[in-house]
Amino acid sequence: MRHHFGHLGRTKLDILTGFATVLLIVATVVLLSNPGHVLAQKYDARRQDDIRALMQAVLTLQSTDPNAFYAFQAAVTAAGAPPRVMLGANSDCSGSWGTQCSDAILADHCVDTNAYLGPYLKSIPFDLSSPLFSERQTGYYLTLTATSIEVGACNPSGPDPIFLQRPL
């Protein structure tokens, strides 16, 4: 009598059933780990770090070079900030750029981040979650009023806005 040890007495149907079971278990584990949610949390954490860096740069500019800060304020006003202006490279920023930067509340021109805040930043941060954002249109906005400074993310992953606000 001849024995085939390759299948150890299993039929092709047994092998396919086992393979399908393993695939089902792997798919269940992947779905339960929710990689989309994990990635969204990672992007939001990065946004928070970028916003802190941008806010620190604005506050440092204000405290170390008041004349440059006044020029920065004038550039924000000249951009047509009603009330938000996107930080970027003095380029066209018209249109909607996310849930927090709709066309109705965002100025049509970006404020040149590098010209005013560049000396206080290691690099110009921009939102990595979308190919729309770059150093030209960072995906971060600034609201500068007579009483406060607000820096925030144009398109956070969740329904809650991500921003920092400080009195001026």
PDB file of all heavy atoms in Angstrom, residues 34-64:
ATOM      1  N   ASN A  34      -9.088  48.346  13.380  1.00  0.00           N
ATOM      2  CA  ASN A  34      -9.523  49.608  12.791  1.00  0.00           C
ATOM      3  C   ASN A  34      -8.341  50.491  12.392  1.00  0.00           C
ATOM      4  O   ASN A  34      -8.092  51.530  13.015  1.00  0.00           O
ATOM      5  CB  ASN A  34     -10.449  50.339  13.763  1.00  0.00           C
ATOM      6  CG  ASN A  34     -11.237  51.425  13.074  1.00  0.00           C
ATOM      7  OD1 ASN A  34     -11.071  51.684  11.894  1.00  0.00           O
ATOM      8  ND2 ASN A  34     -12.100  52.078  13.833  1.00  0.00           N
ATOM      9  N   PRO A  35      -7.607  50.117  11.381  1.00  0.00           N
ATOM     10  CA  PRO A  35      -6.427  50.880  10.983  1.00  0.00           C
ATOM     11  C   PRO A  35      -6.749  52.304  10.543  1.00  0.00           C
ATOM     12  O   PRO A  35      -5.935  53.200  10.712  1.00  0.00           O
ATOM     13  CB  PRO A  35      -5.833  50.056   9.836  1.00  0.00           C
ATOM     14  CG  PRO A  35      -6.939  49.205   9.340  1.00  0.00           C
ATOM     15  CD  PRO A  35      -7.841  48.975  10.505  1.00  0.00           C
ATOM     16  N   GLY A  36      -7.936  52.542   9.994  1.00  0.00           N
ATOM     17  CA  GLY A  36      -8.314  53.903   9.598  1.00  0.00           C
ATOM     18  C   GLY A  36      -8.400  54.828  10.793  1.00  0.00           C
ATOM     19  O   GLY A  36      -7.946  55.974  10.745  1.00  0.00           O
ATOM     20  N   HIS A  37      -8.957  54.339  11.881  1.00  0.00           N
ATOM     21  CA  HIS A  37      -9.075  55.137  13.101  1.00  0.00           C
ATOM     22  C   HIS A  37      -7.695  55.408  13.700  1.00  0.00           C
ATOM     23  O   HIS A  37      -7.415  56.506  14.161  1.00  0.00           O
ATOM     24  CB  HIS A  37      -9.970  54.414  14.106  1.00  0.00           C
ATOM     25  CG  HIS A  37     -10.140  55.132  15.388  1.00  0.00           C
ATOM     26  ND1 HIS A  37     -10.846  56.312  15.490  1.00  0.00           N
ATOM     27  CD2 HIS A  37      -9.671  54.869  16.641  1.00  0.00           C
ATOM     28  CE1 HIS A  37     -10.807  56.730  16.743  1.00  0.00           C
ATOM     29  NE2 HIS A  37     -10.105  55.869  17.456  1.00  0.00           N
ATOM     30  N   VAL A  38      -6.842  54.412  13.688  1.00  0.00           N
ATOM     31  CA  VAL A  38      -5.482  54.572  14.218  1.00  0.00           C
ATOM     32  C   VAL A  38      -4.721  55.613  13.398  1.00  0.00           C
ATOM     33  O   VAL A  38      -4.047  56.481  13.945  1.00  0.00           O
ATOM     34  CB  VAL A  38      -4.734  53.217  14.228  1.00  0.00           C
ATOM     35  CG1 VAL A  38      -3.271  53.401  14.562  1.00  0.00           C
ATOM     36  CG2 VAL A  38      -5.401  52.264  15.203  1.00  0.00           C
ATOM     37  N   LEU A  39      -4.865  55.560  12.082  1.00  0.00           N
ATOM     38  CA  LEU A  39      -4.202  56.524  11.208  1.00  0.00           C
ATOM     39  C   LEU A  39      -4.752  57.932  11.429  1.00  0.00           C
ATOM     40  O   LEU A  39      -3.986  58.897  11.478  1.00  0.00           O
ATOM     41  CB  LEU A  39      -4.365  56.106   9.748  1.00  0.00           C
ATOM     42  CG  LEU A  39      -3.583  56.908   8.727  1.00  0.00           C
ATOM     43  CD1 LEU A  39      -2.079  56.832   9.019  1.00  0.00           C
ATOM     44  CD2 LEU A  39      -3.864  56.387   7.324  1.00  0.00           C
ATOM     45  N   ALA A  40      -6.059  58.056  11.602  1.00  0.00           N
ATOM     46  CA  ALA A  40      -6.670  59.366  11.873  1.00  0.00           C
ATOM     47  C   ALA A  40      -6.144  59.944  13.176  1.00  0.00           C
ATOM     48  O   ALA A  40      -5.850  61.147  13.266  1.00  0.00           O
ATOM     49  CB  ALA A  40      -8.191  59.238  11.918  1.00  0.00           C
ATOM     50  N   GLN A  41      -6.000  59.118  14.209  1.00  0.00           N
ATOM     51  CA  GLN A  41      -5.456  59.587  15.482  1.00  0.00           C
ATOM     52  C   GLN A  41      -4.009  60.042  15.321  1.00  0.00           C
ATOM     53  O   GLN A  41      -3.590  61.034  15.918  1.00  0.00           O
ATOM     54  CB  GLN A  41      -5.539  58.486  16.538  1.00  0.00           C
ATOM     55  CG  GLN A  41      -6.929  58.256  17.062  1.00  0.00           C
ATOM     56  CD  GLN A  41      -6.961  57.145  18.099  1.00  0.00           C
ATOM     57  OE1 GLN A  41      -6.221  56.173  18.022  1.00  0.00           O
ATOM     58  NE2 GLN A  41      -7.834  57.300  19.079  1.00  0.00           N
ATOM     59  N   LYS A  42      -3.258  59.335  14.516  1.00  0.00           N
ATOM     60  CA  LYS A  42      -1.862  59.695  14.269  1.00  0.00           C
ATOM     61  C   LYS A  42      -1.779  61.053  13.570  1.00  0.00           C
ATOM     62  O   LYS A  42      -0.966  61.900  13.945  1.00  0.00           O
ATOM     63  CB  LYS A  42      -1.200  58.611  13.423  1.00  0.00           C
ATOM     64  CG  LYS A  42       0.255  58.856  13.123  1.00  0.00           C
ATOM     65  CD  LYS A  42       0.837  57.730  12.296  1.00  0.00           C
ATOM     66  CE  LYS A  42       2.265  58.031  11.896  1.00  0.00           C
ATOM     67  NZ  LYS A  42       2.835  56.989  11.050  1.00  0.00           N
ATOM     68  N   TYR A  43      -2.637  61.264  12.560  1.00  0.00           N
ATOM     69  CA  TYR A  43      -2.655  62.550  11.863  1.00  0.00           C
ATOM     70  C   TYR A  43      -3.072  63.679  12.801  1.00  0.00           C
ATOM     71  O   TYR A  43      -2.508  64.771  12.759  1.00  0.00           O
ATOM     72  CB  TYR A  43      -3.583  62.504  10.653  1.00  0.00           C
ATOM     73  CG  TYR A  43      -2.977  61.864   9.437  1.00  0.00           C
ATOM     74  CD1 TYR A  43      -3.684  60.918   8.703  1.00  0.00           C
ATOM     75  CD2 TYR A  43      -1.703  62.202   8.989  1.00  0.00           C
ATOM     76  CE1 TYR A  43      -3.147  60.325   7.576  1.00  0.00           C
ATOM     77  CE2 TYR A  43      -1.154  61.612   7.864  1.00  0.00           C
ATOM     78  CZ  TYR A  43      -1.874  60.682   7.163  1.00  0.00           C
ATOM     79  OH  TYR A  43      -1.338  60.103   6.052  1.00  0.00           O
ATOM     80  N   ASP A  44      -4.078  63.443  13.651  1.00  0.00           N
ATOM     81  CA  ASP A  44      -4.508  64.482  14.586  1.00  0.00           C
ATOM     82  C   ASP A  44      -3.415  64.811  15.602  1.00  0.00           C
ATOM     83  O   ASP A  44      -3.241  65.969  15.977  1.00  0.00           O
ATOM     84  CB  ASP A  44      -5.807  64.084  15.290  1.00  0.00           C
ATOM     85  CG  ASP A  44      -7.033  64.346  14.428  1.00  0.00           C
ATOM     86  OD1 ASP A  44      -6.902  65.029  13.382  1.00  0.00           O
ATOM     87  OD2 ASP A  44      -8.127  63.871  14.793  1.00  0.00           O
ATOM     88  N   ALA A  45      -2.680  63.813  16.064  1.00  0.00           N
ATOM     89  CA  ALA A  45      -1.563  64.077  16.989  1.00  0.00           C
ATOM     90  C   ALA A  45      -0.502  64.925  16.299  1.00  0.00           C
ATOM     91  O   ALA A  45       0.050  65.859  16.898  1.00  0.00           O
ATOM     92  CB  ALA A  45      -0.963  62.763  17.487  1.00  0.00           C
ATOM     93  N   ARG A  46      -0.225  64.620  15.045  1.00  0.00           N
ATOM     94  CA  ARG A  46       0.745  65.416  14.283  1.00  0.00           C
ATOM     95  C   ARG A  46       0.231  66.846  14.098  1.00  0.00           C
ATOM     96  O   ARG A  46       0.987  67.811  14.209  1.00  0.00           O
ATOM     97  CB  ARG A  46       1.000  64.748  12.929  1.00  0.00           C
ATOM     98  CG  ARG A  46       1.767  65.563  11.927  1.00  0.00           C
ATOM     99  CD  ARG A  46       3.246  65.701  12.310  1.00  0.00           C
ATOM    100  NE  ARG A  46       3.920  66.642  11.463  1.00  0.00           N
ATOM    101  CZ  ARG A  46       4.677  66.330  10.427  1.00  0.00           C
ATOM    102  NH1 ARG A  46       4.866  65.067  10.121  1.00  0.00           N
ATOM    103  NH2 ARG A  46       5.234  67.263   9.714  1.00  0.00           N
ATOM    104  N   ARG A  47      -1.055  66.989  13.816  1.00  0.00           N
ATOM    105  CA  ARG A  47      -1.648  68.327  13.668  1.00  0.00           C
ATOM    106  C   ARG A  47      -1.479  69.123  14.962  1.00  0.00           C
ATOM    107  O   ARG A  47      -1.152  70.308  14.933  1.00  0.00           O
ATOM    108  CB  ARG A  47      -3.131  68.213  13.308  1.00  0.00           C
ATOM    109  CG  ARG A  47      -3.387  67.767  11.902  1.00  0.00           C
ATOM    110  CD  ARG A  47      -4.899  67.716  11.622  1.00  0.00           C
ATOM    111  NE  ARG A  47      -5.157  67.135  10.333  1.00  0.00           N
ATOM    112  CZ  ARG A  47      -5.629  65.914  10.128  1.00  0.00           C
ATOM    113  NH1 ARG A  47      -5.911  65.128  11.158  1.00  0.00           N
ATOM    114  NH2 ARG A  47      -5.823  65.469   8.910  1.00  0.00           N
ATOM    115  N   GLN A  48      -1.735  68.488  16.094  1.00  0.00           N
ATOM    116  CA  GLN A  48      -1.595  69.184  17.379  1.00  0.00           C
ATOM    117  C   GLN A  48      -0.163  69.659  17.590  1.00  0.00           C
ATOM    118  O   GLN A  48       0.065  70.783  18.051  1.00  0.00           O
ATOM    119  CB  GLN A  48      -2.051  68.279  18.518  1.00  0.00           C
ATOM    120  CG  GLN A  48      -3.545  68.047  18.518  1.00  0.00           C
ATOM    121  CD  GLN A  48      -3.975  66.945  19.468  1.00  0.00           C
ATOM    122  OE1 GLN A  48      -3.167  66.178  19.980  1.00  0.00           O
ATOM    123  NE2 GLN A  48      -5.275  66.846  19.701  1.00  0.00           N
ATOM    124  N   ASP A  49       0.813  68.820  17.266  1.00  0.00           N
ATOM    125  CA  ASP A  49       2.220  69.216  17.390  1.00  0.00           C
ATOM    126  C   ASP A  49       2.546  70.386  16.470  1.00  0.00           C
ATOM    127  O   ASP A  49       3.228  71.335  16.866  1.00  0.00           O
ATOM    128  CB  ASP A  49       3.147  68.038  17.069  1.00  0.00           C
ATOM    129  CG  ASP A  49       3.094  66.942  18.108  1.00  0.00           C
ATOM    130  OD1 ASP A  49       2.610  67.192  19.242  1.00  0.00           O
ATOM    131  OD2 ASP A  49       3.534  65.815  17.794  1.00  0.00           O
ATOM    132  N   ASP A  50       2.058  70.330  15.233  1.00  0.00           N
ATOM    133  CA  ASP A  50       2.302  71.415  14.280  1.00  0.00           C
ATOM    134  C   ASP A  50       1.666  72.719  14.752  1.00  0.00           C
ATOM    135  O   ASP A  50       2.272  73.794  14.645  1.00  0.00           O
ATOM    136  CB  ASP A  50       1.762  71.049  12.896  1.00  0.00           C
ATOM    137  CG  ASP A  50       2.573  69.975  12.196  1.00  0.00           C
ATOM    138  OD1 ASP A  50       3.690  69.647  12.668  1.00  0.00           O
ATOM    139  OD2 ASP A  50       2.096  69.451  11.168  1.00  0.00           O
ATOM    140  N   ILE A  51       0.460  72.640  15.284  1.00  0.00           N
ATOM    141  CA  ILE A  51      -0.233  73.834  15.769  1.00  0.00           C
ATOM    142  C   ILE A  51       0.514  74.439  16.947  1.00  0.00           C
ATOM    143  O   ILE A  51       0.656  75.665  17.039  1.00  0.00           O
ATOM    144  CB  ILE A  51      -1.701  73.497  16.125  1.00  0.00           C
ATOM    145  CG1 ILE A  51      -2.482  73.250  14.835  1.00  0.00           C
ATOM    146  CG2 ILE A  51      -2.342  74.597  16.953  1.00  0.00           C
ATOM    147  CD1 ILE A  51      -3.850  72.640  15.051  1.00  0.00           C
ATOM    148  N   ARG A  52       1.019  73.600  17.846  1.00  0.00           N
ATOM    149  CA  ARG A  52       1.819  74.113  18.964  1.00  0.00           C
ATOM    150  C   ARG A  52       3.062  74.847  18.455  1.00  0.00           C
ATOM    151  O   ARG A  52       3.412  75.914  18.950  1.00  0.00           O
ATOM    152  CB  ARG A  52       2.237  72.975  19.895  1.00  0.00           C
ATOM    153  CG  ARG A  52       1.202  72.590  20.901  1.00  0.00           C
ATOM    154  CD  ARG A  52       1.770  71.601  21.934  1.00  0.00           C
ATOM    155  NE  ARG A  52       0.747  70.687  22.320  1.00  0.00           N
ATOM    156  CZ  ARG A  52       0.528  69.480  21.797  1.00  0.00           C
ATOM    157  NH1 ARG A  52       1.301  69.011  20.865  1.00  0.00           N
ATOM    158  NH2 ARG A  52      -0.462  68.731  22.218  1.00  0.00           N
ATOM    159  N   ALA A  53       3.736  74.256  17.475  1.00  0.00           N
ATOM    160  CA  ALA A  53       4.945  74.882  16.916  1.00  0.00           C
ATOM    161  C   ALA A  53       4.610  76.216  16.250  1.00  0.00           C
ATOM    162  O   ALA A  53       5.347  77.203  16.420  1.00  0.00           O
ATOM    163  CB  ALA A  53       5.615  73.936  15.918  1.00  0.00           C
ATOM    164  N   LEU A  54       3.522  76.258  15.503  1.00  0.00           N
ATOM    165  CA  LEU A  54       3.126  77.506  14.843  1.00  0.00           C
ATOM    166  C   LEU A  54       2.733  78.570  15.867  1.00  0.00           C
ATOM    167  O   LEU A  54       3.129  79.739  15.737  1.00  0.00           O
ATOM    168  CB  LEU A  54       1.976  77.249  13.869  1.00  0.00           C
ATOM    169  CG  LEU A  54       2.362  76.495  12.596  1.00  0.00           C
ATOM    170  CD1 LEU A  54       1.125  75.956  11.890  1.00  0.00           C
ATOM    171  CD2 LEU A  54       3.180  77.393  11.673  1.00  0.00           C
ATOM    172  N   MET A  55       1.978  78.181  16.883  1.00  0.00           N
ATOM    173  CA  MET A  55       1.590  79.142  17.924  1.00  0.00           C
ATOM    174  C   MET A  55       2.825  79.665  18.653  1.00  0.00           C
ATOM    175  O   MET A  55       2.945  80.866  18.906  1.00  0.00           O
ATOM    176  CB  MET A  55       0.618  78.499  18.914  1.00  0.00           C
ATOM    177  CG  MET A  55       0.211  79.434  20.063  1.00  0.00           C
ATOM    178  SD  MET A  55      -0.679  80.921  19.552  1.00  0.00           S
ATOM    179  CE  MET A  55      -2.335  80.274  19.451  1.00  0.00           C
ATOM    180  N   GLN A  56       3.757  78.778  18.972  1.00  0.00           N
ATOM    181  CA  GLN A  56       4.987  79.196  19.639  1.00  0.00           C
ATOM    182  C   GLN A  56       5.762  80.173  18.762  1.00  0.00           C
ATOM    183  O   GLN A  56       6.316  81.154  19.260  1.00  0.00           O
ATOM    184  CB  GLN A  56       5.866  77.990  19.990  1.00  0.00           C
ATOM    185  CG  GLN A  56       7.097  78.345  20.791  1.00  0.00           C
ATOM    186  CD  GLN A  56       6.756  78.992  22.121  1.00  0.00           C
ATOM    187  OE1 GLN A  56       5.873  78.547  22.839  1.00  0.00           O
ATOM    188  NE2 GLN A  56       7.435  80.070  22.440  1.00  0.00           N
ATOM    189  N   ALA A  57       5.804  79.936  17.457  1.00  0.00           N
ATOM    190  CA  ALA A  57       6.506  80.840  16.542  1.00  0.00           C
ATOM    191  C   ALA A  57       5.840  82.214  16.520  1.00  0.00           C
ATOM    192  O   ALA A  57       6.531  83.248  16.540  1.00  0.00           O
ATOM    193  CB  ALA A  57       6.551  80.244  15.142  1.00  0.00           C
ATOM    194  N   VAL A  58       4.510  82.258  16.502  1.00  0.00           N
ATOM    195  CA  VAL A  58       3.788  83.544  16.511  1.00  0.00           C
ATOM    196  C   VAL A  58       4.067  84.282  17.809  1.00  0.00           C
ATOM    197  O   VAL A  58       4.363  85.492  17.806  1.00  0.00           O
ATOM    198  CB  VAL A  58       2.271  83.334  16.313  1.00  0.00           C
ATOM    199  CG1 VAL A  58       1.507  84.626  16.536  1.00  0.00           C
ATOM    200  CG2 VAL A  58       1.980  82.772  14.926  1.00  0.00           C
ATOM    201  N   LEU A  59       3.996  83.587  18.935  1.00  0.00           N
ATOM    202  CA  LEU A  59       4.239  84.236  20.234  1.00  0.00           C
ATOM    203  C   LEU A  59       5.690  84.698  20.365  1.00  0.00           C
ATOM    204  O   LEU A  59       5.950  85.761  20.936  1.00  0.00           O
ATOM    205  CB  LEU A  59       3.863  83.282  21.367  1.00  0.00           C
ATOM    206  CG  LEU A  59       2.376  82.920  21.453  1.00  0.00           C
ATOM    207  CD1 LEU A  59       2.141  81.863  22.520  1.00  0.00           C
ATOM    208  CD2 LEU A  59       1.510  84.141  21.686  1.00  0.00           C
ATOM    209  N   THR A  60       6.622  83.936  19.848  1.00  0.00           N
ATOM    210  CA  THR A  60       8.030  84.325  19.886  1.00  0.00           C
ATOM    211  C   THR A  60       8.251  85.552  19.009  1.00  0.00           C
ATOM    212  O   THR A  60       8.959  86.486  19.401  1.00  0.00           O
ATOM    213  CB  THR A  60       8.938  83.164  19.433  1.00  0.00           C
ATOM    214  OG1 THR A  60       8.686  82.047  20.287  1.00  0.00           O
ATOM    215  CG2 THR A  60      10.404  83.549  19.512  1.00  0.00           C
ATOM    216  N   LEU A  61       7.654  85.588  17.823  1.00  0.00           N
ATOM    217  CA  LEU A  61       7.740  86.766  16.955  1.00  0.00           C
ATOM    218  C   LEU A  61       7.193  87.990  17.674  1.00  0.00           C
ATOM    219  O   LEU A  61       7.818  89.058  17.662  1.00  0.00           O
ATOM    220  CB  LEU A  61       6.964  86.526  15.655  1.00  0.00           C
ATOM    221  CG  LEU A  61       6.859  87.721  14.708  1.00  0.00           C
ATOM    222  CD1 LEU A  61       8.226  88.072  14.146  1.00  0.00           C
ATOM    223  CD2 LEU A  61       5.863  87.423  13.591  1.00  0.00           C
ATOM    224  N   GLN A  62       6.065  87.834  18.329  1.00  0.00           N
ATOM    225  CA  GLN A  62       5.438  88.948  19.042  1.00  0.00           C
ATOM    226  C   GLN A  62       6.335  89.475  20.152  1.00  0.00           C
ATOM    227  O   GLN A  62       6.479  90.689  20.319  1.00  0.00           O
ATOM    228  CB  GLN A  62       4.091  88.505  19.630  1.00  0.00           C
ATOM    229  CG  GLN A  62       3.388  89.598  20.409  1.00  0.00           C
ATOM    230  CD  GLN A  62       2.191  89.068  21.183  1.00  0.00           C
ATOM    231  OE1 GLN A  62       2.093  87.870  21.453  1.00  0.00           O
ATOM    232  NE2 GLN A  62       1.286  89.962  21.518  1.00  0.00           N
ATOM    233  N   SER A  63       6.968  88.583  20.891  1.00  0.00           N
ATOM    234  CA  SER A  63       7.759  89.027  22.046  1.00  0.00           C
ATOM    235  C   SER A  63       9.172  89.478  21.675  1.00  0.00           C
ATOM    236  O   SER A  63       9.730  90.337  22.360  1.00  0.00           O
ATOM    237  CB  SER A  63       7.824  87.919  23.102  1.00  0.00           C
ATOM    238  OG  SER A  63       8.514  86.807  22.604  1.00  0.00           O
ATOM    239  N   THR A  64       9.749  88.928  20.612  1.00  0.00           N
ATOM    240  CA  THR A  64      11.140  89.269  20.297  1.00  0.00           C
ATOM    241  C   THR A  64      11.282  90.376  19.254  1.00  0.00           C
ATOM    242  O   THR A  64      12.303  91.058  19.232  1.00  0.00           O
ATOM    243  CB  THR A  64      11.920  88.034  19.776  1.00  0.00           C
ATOM    244  OG1 THR A  64      11.290  87.543  18.600  1.00  0.00           O
ATOM    245  CG2 THR A  64      12.000  86.961  20.838  1.00  0.00           C
TER     246      THR A  64
END
